[in-house]
Amino acid sequence: MFTLQPAAMLNAIQGGQVLAEFRGISPAERDRLVSAMGDKIRIEESSWTLNLLVVFNVEKKPFDDVRVRKALLMAIDRWGGSQGLSRISNLRAVGGVMRPGSPFATPEADLVKLPGFAKDINASRAEAKRLLAEAGVPNLSFTLHNRNLAMPYTPAGVFLVDQWRQIGVTVEHKQSDTAPYLATMNAGNHDVAIDFSNLFMDDSSLGLAKYLSVDRAPENRSRSKDAELDKIYDDHLRERDPAKRKAMIQAFEKRLFDQAYQQPLLWWHRIVPTHKVVMGWKMSPSHNLGADLAEVWLNE
């Protein structure tokens, strides 16, 4: 197993030194391979069990005020942003706490009723400005803490800075290498951050765990404590009826978004290129699955 920089990996695939990139590539990289290789390359795509999160540190002012947090989430045009970001990055699907299209995902008709997901962005931004003024921070400024990876963290950060600019908020976009990026969040030294949720399957016991109170879930980088969320989660673990379990997941999601501790920005989209000689590999919504290549063979 080895790792190449994206440009080197693309060259290696195109030149035949590497026959597959099983994690995933960007839309632009996909288009380059298809243009250069034609029917020699196979492209498979799927929604991904990965998302980027907008996270507010509730231990720092003014982000201890739900009005401020909710205003910043309501200012984000996810539906419009997904169209642009999906052309230049791995970000695509608009969704809640479970992967869009998965069995426990909230349907779009219900999702648009939640804070941060309405399709009338002008109305949402007007309400966001009102909430900031009510909270006493109409000219809010802060630093957005982000990971120093071009794909897809950089375009996500640039997008958020622009979204918040449109409600009069000034944001410094600070990107760091992975180690200091994680250390800053884990120590609670961030104001607002882009975090990530990386699951390996569509299981709500995994998908909701990151949002539990921080004393139960150290990976909750909003540092929130919410006994109501904890109780819904614990109750849903014992529920065996799928319909009731889904209703509890949606109740958890509604509480989480009403309190606006943290929220998915967009979910990733997985694009996997393989040479046509690669046989037997099965696409999945997670790069953590399908790593056993015992049944993969080359038809040369």
Side-chain angles (χ1 to χ4, degrees), residues 49-63:
T49 54
L50 262 168
N51 66 47
L52 291 187
L53 294 159
V54 182
V55 177
F56 304 105
N57 185 347
V58 302
E59 294 181 345
K60 288 195 172 185
K61 292 185 177 300
F63 308 107

Side-chain angles (χ1 to χ4, degrees), residues 67-80:
R67 295 171 297 182
V68 174
R69 302 193 301 265
K70 191 175 289 188
L72 293 173
L73 293 179
M74 293 177 69
I76 303 168
D77 181 8
R78 287 173 173 78
W79 302 99

Side-chain angles (χ1 to χ4, degrees), residues 17 67 103 120 139-140 148 161 203 234 265 270 284 299:
Q17 291 88 8
R67 295 171 297 182
D120 187 343
N139 301 308
L140 179 64
N148 189 21
V161 170
D203 186 334
D234 292 338
L265 173 59
R270 191 179 183 205
S284 77
N299 183 23

